[in-house]
Amino acid sequence: MYDSKGDCNESSKPYYKRRKRPTIRCGCRAHIQLKSVDGDFFEVDDFVEGHNHRMVADSDMQFVRSARKLTHVQEEAIYELSNMNLGPFKAFNLMRTQYVGFEKVGATKDDCKNFKQGLNCYIGEYDAEMIVHRLCARKTFSSDYSFEYDVNDDRELIRMFWADETSKSNYLAFGDIISFNATFKTNKYKMVFVPFTAIDNHCHSVTVGAGLLASETIESYTWLLQMLLKSFGHAPKVGADLCNNEDFKSRPCNIVWTNSISPLEFEEKWQAIMVEFELDKNKCLTDMYEIRFDWIPAFYRDEILSGLIRTTSRSESENHFLGKATNSQLVLVEFFNHFDFCMKIQRYNGRRCDHDSRYTYPQLETRSYLEREAVRIYRRAMFNDL
């Protein structure tokens, strides 16, 4: 570069920063050269034995680049462990423990990290295509598996919905009331993860379906709910006709989730809502009203609840359970692998709770027939909360 006078401007010369890294290239001429005699046999044509550097000791061979190589089994282990939220460094430490020593692994932590980065680069180019083909294959081989997706004019994936066989069973059994949480920002494409959640007979959260949205628009959420209805065949039983009524959604919450009104005010406003929306003969709501003294905050306004009322506890629990699913660096393949892993944990926990309910018997507080009958009817987790 030059200044206005045509002279070289030293201060504007480009500056190249060199990495302070040692090199293994030292001009060593040691080699052996062979030549063919008759096409089948070879003889030594040239041999230089002397080296101009020290030879690497056997104990240090583990650090030589040419001697370091991850086996196929090790590469598969790194990939599988990443699906369980264990990075390449932790994978290396596990292999070091398994092989009893760093030198037995045959690679370094950097080799594990480089492999994982290279794998992500390869996946990144075909990520959406791989997931669509994978879930379409599931749908082909399983008639109860639901998968729907949509693309824009540029053939870019913009929304997805999926639900497996277990999710559909959970919806049939526990789908009277479901919730969905659209606060998850997941993977490198900043898509919104929307899990649909119900509560099972152990009072645990179970996933009944999930979606990914590229944008939070009315069109996107309308499409997602339509796919939910298409997959399950019917809407949730409770509140289906009143979901879009903003007045109905706000008025019960204003009297239920507050201790700023008196019990008399609660009862008057509750009855007014039931009559206005023709819900006075709804058995579920009538039963809830009968036990209002046990759960309505208005009846506990003079007692310290110490934060027992938590309206977002289910969402927070789902956030913690899905864990890595909210990682902003995940590609879709990694996201789905982790999601499947979480669903397996959820199903295992459900079966374990079923086992405890079938084959264990809690310690009773009384000798009453009512308590013994409750043990027979309720699952352990529900019984312990009675």
Side-chain angles (χ1 to χ4, degrees):
M1 299 179 65
Y2 296 89
D3 59 18
S4 58
K5 297 180 180 180
D7 298 326
C8 179
N9 187 349
E10 295 293 337
S11 62
S12 62
K13 286 185 177 180
Y15 173 72
Y16 299 99
K17 184 177 180 180
R18 294 183 178 273
R19 297 180 63 182
K20 295 181 179 180
R21 183 174 62 183
T23 179
I24 60 174
R25 301 182 183 276
C26 55
C28 181
R29 302 297 299 168
H31 68 275
I32 183 172
Q33 182 175 326
L34 305 178
K35 70 176 182 179
S36 175
V37 178
D38 55 4
D40 294 325
F41 296 94
F42 294 83
E43 65 179 21
V44 176
D45 182 57
D46 189 21
F47 175 64
V48 177
E49 183 178 6
H51 293 267
N52 64 352
H53 57 85
R54 295 177 58 187
M55 301 297 293
V56 178
D58 292 341
S59 59
D60 293 334
M61 285 297 294
Q62 58 180 305
F63 304 112
V64 178
R65 185 180 301 175
S66 60
R68 301 193 328 249
K69 182 175 177 59
L70 289 169
T71 65
H72 176 72
V73 174
Q74 292 172 328
E75 292 176 345
E76 187 173 356
I78 295 172
Y79 174 71
E80 294 295 338
L81 289 171
S82 70
N83 296 334
M84 294 185 287
N85 206 15
L86 296 176
F89 288 172
K90 290 184 178 179
F92 174 82
N93 289 330
L94 286 173
M95 289 189 287
R96 182 259 304 172
T97 303
Q98 182 181 7
Y99 298 150
V100 194
F102 291 99
E103 68 280 358
K104 302 294 184 181
V105 177
T108 65
K109 285 186 177 182
D110 288 337
D111 295 325
C112 297
K113 182 184 71 173
N114 292 338
F115 167 74
K116 186 64 173 61
Q117 289 177 341
L119 182 62
N120 285 348
C121 289
Y122 172 79
I123 291 175
E125 186 176 354
Y126 307 100
D127 194 18
E129 184 179 352
M130 291 170 64
I131 284 301
V132 170
H133 288 171
R134 172 176 164 180
L135 298 188
C136 283
R138 281 194 189 184
K139 185 177 180 180
T140 301
F141 291 105
S142 176
S143 58
D144 290 334
Y145 192 88
S146 292
F147 170 60
E148 305 291 341
Y149 71 98
D150 193 16
V151 297
N152 60 17
D153 295 336
D154 297 326
R155 304 295 297 171
E156 295 174 337
L157 183 66
I158 57 174
R159 39 187 174 245
M160 300 170 56
F161 172 82
W162 68 96
D164 62 11
E165 303 86 339
T166 305
S167 297
K168 291 187 174 181
S169 298
N170 287 334
Y171 186 87
L172 290 175
F174 315 116
D176 287 355
I177 300 177
I178 64 172
S179 65
F180 69 94
N181 184 359
T183 62
F184 297 98
K185 296 286 187 180
T186 186
N187 71 50
K188 62 189 297 183
Y189 314 114
K190 301 187 184 303
M191 299 183 78
V192 181
F193 176 47
V194 187
F196 293 88
T197 306
I199 302 175
D200 68 5
N201 51 349
H202 300 290
C203 204
H204 291 169
S205 297
V206 290
T207 302
V208 297
L212 279 173
L213 302 176
S215 62
E216 296 186 88
T217 62
I218 295 176
E219 180 185 2
S220 294
Y221 282 113
T222 300
W223 179 91
L224 186 63
L225 294 175
Q226 287 175 343
M227 294 305 104
L228 176 79
L229 185 60
K230 176 182 176 181
S231 298
F232 297 133
H234 62 85
K237 297 178 182 178
V238 178
D241 296 330
L242 297 172
C243 287
N244 294 323
N245 190 317
E246 295 297 332
D247 185 35
F248 174 77
K249 288 191 292 186
S250 62
R251 287 176 59 186
C253 290
N254 291 338
I255 65 171
V256 170
W257 302 117
T258 179
N259 60 358
S260 63
I261 63 174
S262 67
L264 181 60
E265 286 181 276
F266 167 79
E267 293 184 356
E268 291 176 350
K269 292 182 178 180
W270 176 276
Q271 295 299 335
I273 293 173
M274 295 300 105
V275 172
E276 180 177 346
F277 293 99
E278 300 180 355
L279 296 172
D280 50 322
K281 295 182 180 180
N282 186 289
K283 186 179 184 304
C284 177
L285 294 175
T286 301
D287 292 342
M288 292 173 63
Y289 179 76
E290 291 295 328
I291 60 172
R292 60 192 181 280
F293 303 101
D294 296 328
W295 68 282
I296 295 297
F299 295 91
Y300 294 88
R301 60 185 304 182
D302 297 326
E303 298 185 26
I304 300 176
L305 296 179
S306 300
L308 292 179
I309 300 176
R310 299 176 182 175
T311 58
T312 60
S313 59
R314 287 287 166 183
S315 296
E316 292 172 354
S317 174
E318 195 79 354
N319 279 345
H320 176 74
F321 174 68
L322 290 166
K324 187 185 175 184
T326 58
N327 189 321
S328 61
Q329 299 302 317
L330 288 182
V331 293
L332 284 176
V333 171
E334 290 181 304
F335 167 80
F336 271 92
N337 288 339
H338 183 71
F339 180 82
D340 285 345
F341 176 70
C342 290
M343 294 303 99
K344 290 177 182 177
I345 294 177
Q346 193 177 87
R347 291 159 193 165
Y348 169 80
N349 289 337
R351 292 182 60 189
R352 184 190 62 188
C353 291
D354 286 338
H355 169 83
D356 292 341
S357 297
R358 292 191 194 102
Y359 302 110
T360 64
Y361 199 80
Q363 184 176 357
L364 302 182
E365 300 293 334
T366 68
R367 296 184 179 181
S368 69
Y369 172 79
L370 180 63
E371 189 174 12
R372 294 197 302 272
E373 186 68 7
V375 170
R376 185 184 68 82
I377 295 175
Y378 291 100
R379 301 292 183 178
R380 292 295 164 264
M382 300 294 291
F383 176 82
N384 293 333
D385 286 338
L386 292 176

